[in-house]
Amino acid sequence: MGAHTQGRGPKRANGVREAEILGLLQRADGALTPGEVAERLGDDLSYSSVVTILTRMHTKGLLTRTPRGRAYAYAPVTDEAGFAARRMRTVLEERPDREAVLARFADGLSDTDAELLRQLLDPDPHPGQ
């Protein structure tokens, strides 16, 4: 009943690594190369593993990349709120009955969140004018 380990330390799920790297990139002042990402992570992740994860995240549309020297520098395409909104849209698009999903979502909102959503959906403070 032990955790599966391989190499120098416990193996983390790809999603955990991606989230960790995404957070690091969101906190950075600008785009980072794989070497800079590996250095800032400061753990046992190899340079080639960092390149693999960054490439996979770029392919998924999570990161942009621009050439810098002999490598690419990577940056997030949006902020944390943007990624959360994208996940919500993805879940909604996967369901056949969008109306039922949206209705259940709306039913679960607090009064404060429901009012905020109303304001966002209808920003005109003077309807009918």
Side-chain angles (χ1 to χ4, degrees):
M1 189 152 83
H4 292 286
T5 59
Q6 185 175 16
R8 291 171 286 174
K11 189 169 175 61
R12 293 191 199 161
N14 288 335
V16 173
R17 286 291 191 192
E18 287 184 12
E20 186 178 11
I21 289 173
L22 186 58
L24 187 150
L25 289 170
Q26 287 172 332
R27 291 186 301 273
D29 287 335
L32 299 177
T33 64
E36 291 166 336
V37 171
E39 183 180 309
R40 291 182 187 202
L41 284 174
D43 61 9
D44 61 348
L45 203 58
S46 70
Y47 177 84
S48 64
S49 295
V50 171
V51 170
T52 300
I53 293 168
L54 289 170
T55 301
R56 184 171 56 234
M57 292 172 72
H58 176 260
T59 302
K60 288 180 179 180
L62 300 173
L63 304 177
T64 59
R65 71 181 184 190
T66 51
R68 188 191 299 164
R70 293 170 49 192
Y72 284 107
Y74 293 84
V77 295
T78 187
D79 59 11
E80 203 169 328
F83 283 115
R86 178 187 282 187
R87 285 194 301 274
M88 292 167 71
R89 277 193 307 273
T90 300
V91 168
L92 185 60
E93 288 164 4
E94 290 171 351
R95 309 308 313 167
D97 190 352
R98 293 171 77 108
E99 186 177 342
V101 173
L102 285 170
R104 294 277 175 90
F105 178 75
D107 285 346
L109 291 175
S110 69
D111 291 343
T112 304
D113 286 344
E115 182 54 36
L116 176 59
L117 191 55
R118 278 189 201 91
Q119 291 171 14
L120 291 169
L121 291 172
D122 187 15
D124 185 359
H126 307 291
Q129 292 186 358

